[in-house]
Amino acid sequence: MVGSTNTNELLRAALNSGRTPSTGGKASTAASKRGSKQGTPRKMRSHTESANVSDDEFDDLESNASDDTWVVMGEDDSKVIETGDNWQDIFDEAMDALGEKRAATREKALATIVRIMSLRYLGEELSGSRITLLETLKKSAKSHKSDKESMLALLAIGQWFINFGMEESDEYAATETMLKTIVTDHKSDSVRAIALNVLGIANFISGVDFNDAVDVMRFISEKFFTSSTSAPISLLRQAFETYGFLLTVVIDGNLRLAEHTFDKVFKAHLDGLAADSVDLRVASAQNFALMHEALNTNTQDFEFDRQEELVATLQAIRQESAKRHGKRDTQAQRSAMRDVLKTIDGGEAPEMRLVLGGRSVSFDCWARIVRLHSFRACLGGGLPRHFVDNPLLQDVFEVEFDMSSDAFSRNEGRVVINPSSEIAKMRTKEMRKQRVAQNTYLQQLDYDYE
């Protein structure tokens, strides 16, 4: 997930650009900014309260807590998506404008591209020009004239992989080098954070297998998890979040390797819990929960080697006074630590629902919730549309939508979630075969993750 309030505001501004002001109601006020992104769960207002995209839809889904519902969009999402029959003309004009000399012109064009790619699945409609599009976006991302241009271009690159990246391992390999360079060398911490987020998205979608995920996790560890590391909180938090996102890939591919890999950064995560930042604490804690849940599934009553120390630290954080961080941050911290402790100390899985216009998708494990957060950070309020139209998200979350049913057209009923169906099995098998391929060398696991 994107690790800065500036990026959050950038995405919101891009998705709201060019819109007619709402007459259907007041736009809702954000309960919090992205800085407290994974703190406490929050019920978000239905989109029927406003014809505009509300702040709530772009602020962080605050935690992964039990028994909470995330209402993303309500009944009339099509009315706010100003990408109708002429969307391709608008998109082409924006692409042409990326060649202009004025940075402000390019920024405006990129905001348009981000809006369209978020609010519309383009995987089939622009497949013939996808490589040209990616190369153009990479050129803007490498620009050092405007941080805003770089951030918008990086957002668009993340969306490019969500739209087109399922079969693009070659394009990932070339883009990975650029993203790592930006994360390492760019002068702007906000640009570095969003590049790190996009690196995770691109790797998750287009990496050949879990070896590629481990490579990026090693890169993150070397850059941000060593004793000599000095980085701003927003960037460190993004490092923990991207690390956890890619850890879900390794867990699926080789659980023993995932455990071995996480052991190498266990202390760094404990250090994250010791930080003053609530955001950094929550990001660290949720990775502990993610790893514990996976290992507990494989080994009943699993405990980390330093389980007692970890549980004591989490309990102490949960009980901290509001005087230290303020009421809202303290509530977010308590809620997050409660959910993590339920998993690590009690073996209970989190539970959350994503509501799309009255239809509900359940997320009942940390891996699915961590993945949901990462995709939402890149798509914003366009996430529901991609859930319905984009086969990638349906593969990742094993969700099917019965678009032909009368109930769907009348906005009744629930999302069809049937991961055991033959269609779901075929799609999931195709999606995972690259990641879960058991490399002979790794199966022997004379593997030194250093």
Side-chain angles (χ1 to χ4, degrees):
M1 281 160 275
V2 180
S4 75
T5 301
N6 288 339
T7 306
N8 178 43
E9 293 171 349
L10 190 75
L11 179 57
R12 185 189 303 123
L15 291 167
N16 277 303
S17 63
R19 296 233 174 100
T20 302
S22 168
T23 57
K26 295 180 180 179
S28 60
T29 301
S32 71
K33 298 300 182 184
R34 186 166 299 276
S36 56
K37 145 170 49 167
Q38 290 191 16
T40 182
R42 164 174 84 234
K43 295 185 179 180
M44 303 173 78
R45 296 182 184 179
S46 168
H47 188 69
T48 55
E49 293 184 52
S50 171
N52 230 330
V53 178
S54 72
D55 285 343
D56 276 349
E57 289 175 288
F58 292 95
D59 289 332
D60 270 275
L61 173 61
E62 289 265 292
S63 166
N64 309 313
S66 306
D67 304 321
D68 273 85
T69 302
W70 176 19
V71 180
V72 184
M73 272 181 132
E75 318 293 323
D76 253 348
D77 58 332
S78 60
K79 291 183 180 180
V80 305
I81 301 176
E82 296 180 357
T83 51
D85 294 339
N86 67 331
W87 71 266
Q88 192 156 2
D89 291 337
I90 297 172
F91 192 91
D92 291 343
E93 289 176 6
M95 286 294 295
D96 290 341
L98 292 182
E100 296 292 331
K101 292 183 178 181
R102 293 184 68 244
T105 301
R106 297 194 303 272
E107 290 166 4
K108 184 177 180 180
L110 284 165
T112 297
I113 291 170
V114 166
R115 186 175 79 247
I116 293 175
M117 291 182 72
S118 171
L119 298 176
R120 188 182 187 98
Y121 170 59
L122 305 178
E124 297 176 1
E125 294 166 294
L126 292 183
S127 60
S129 58
R130 67 188 187 282
I131 303 302
T132 300
L133 170 59
L134 178 60
E135 292 304 315
T136 303
L137 294 174
K138 286 163 67 175
K139 182 178 179 180
S140 285
K142 290 184 285 188
S143 171
H144 290 279
K145 297 180 180 178
S146 164
D147 289 349
K148 184 177 180 181
E149 178 181 0
S150 295
M151 288 190 289
L152 283 166
L154 287 165
L155 267 176
I157 289 171
Q159 293 170 353
W160 185 95
F161 278 95
I162 293 172
N163 277 278
F164 306 108
M166 288 182 70
E167 304 290 336
E168 298 292 350
S169 58
D170 290 342
E171 296 306 321
Y172 164 71
T175 306
E176 177 196 35
T177 301
M178 180 200 76
L179 293 171
K180 285 182 175 179
T181 299
I182 292 174
V183 170
T184 302
D185 297 334
H186 204 283
K187 66 181 186 300
S188 167
D189 292 328
S190 294
V191 173
R192 294 173 69 196
I194 194 171
L196 189 53
N197 178 59
V198 172
L199 177 60
I201 287 284
N203 182 286
F204 181 90
I205 296 169
S206 303
V208 173
D209 59 21
F210 55 82
N211 291 300
D212 281 345
V214 170
D215 176 73
V216 174
M217 292 163 72
R218 181 184 295 113
F219 168 78
I220 293 171
S221 178
E222 292 171 351
K223 294 294 180 183
F224 301 105
F225 295 166
T226 64
S227 58
S228 61
T229 296
S230 177
I233 294 299
S234 62
L235 192 52
L236 286 174
R237 185 189 66 181
Q238 184 60 62
F240 280 113
E241 290 172 353
T242 300
Y243 193 94
F245 181 42
L246 295 180
L247 182 61
T248 68
V249 176
V250 188
I251 286 171
D252 278 355
N254 192 315
L255 182 58
R256 186 178 172 191
L257 174 60
E259 181 181 13
H260 182 72
T261 301
F262 189 74
D263 281 346
K264 298 291 184 179
V265 297
F266 194 96
K267 183 181 183 302
H269 280 73
L270 284 178
D271 292 342
L273 293 179
D276 286 334
S277 167
V278 170
D279 301 326
L280 190 53
R281 289 176 172 184
V282 170
S284 304
Q286 290 177 346
N287 284 355
F288 280 120
L290 170 66
M291 191 71 253
H292 189 281
E293 180 181 68
L295 293 169
N296 195 55
T297 300
N298 190 60
T299 304
Q300 191 172 8
D301 298 325
F302 169 82
E303 291 189 356
F304 290 121
D305 289 341
R306 300 170 69 176
Q307 177 96 351
E308 290 186 7
E309 176 188 355
L310 175 60
V311 170
T313 300
L314 293 170
Q315 289 174 339
I317 292 173
R318 184 184 175 189
Q319 295 168 2
E320 277 187 351
S321 168
K323 294 180 180 179
R324 181 171 183 181
H325 297 289
K327 183 177 180 180
R328 187 175 67 179
D329 283 348
T330 300
Q331 288 175 342
Q333 180 171 266
R334 287 174 180 171
S335 179
M337 298 306 152
R338 176 199 66 195
D339 295 334
V340 171
L341 280 165
K342 281 183 178 180
T343 297
I344 294 177
D345 201 29
E348 296 183 28
E351 183 178 355
M352 194 178 92
R353 290 187 301 131
L354 174 67
V355 178
L356 310 173
R359 302 166 190 84
S360 176
V361 183
S362 178
F363 297 82
D364 55 2
C365 70
W366 285 100
R368 286 168 64 87
I369 292 171
V370 166
R371 290 173 176 180
L372 176 66
H373 276 275
S374 292
F375 278 102
R376 181 178 177 272
C378 202
L379 292 171
L383 179 68
R385 178 52 49 199
H386 281 266
F387 256 99
V388 174
D389 293 339
N390 191 334
L392 169 68
L393 267 69
Q394 294 170 12
D395 287 334
V396 169
F397 295 102
E398 297 180 325
V399 173
E400 291 183 83
F401 289 81
D402 185 4
M403 299 295 292
S404 62
S405 70
D406 291 339
F408 195 94
S409 63
R410 295 195 307 268
N411 196 37
E412 298 173 358
R414 296 167 66 87
V415 172
V416 178
I417 308 173
N418 186 14
S420 63
S421 70
E422 288 305 313
I423 293 176
K425 287 178 180 178
M426 289 174 64
R427 286 202 314 236
T428 302
K429 182 178 179 180
E430 183 67 21
M431 182 68 181
R432 291 181 176 175
K433 67 180 180 180
Q434 294 179 334
R435 296 196 187 107
V436 185
Q438 295 295 321
N439 183 290
T440 302
Y441 174 74
L442 289 174
Q443 282 183 330
Q444 296 171 352
L445 264 171
D446 289 329
Y447 190 95
D448 186 14
Y449 177 72
E450 292 288 357

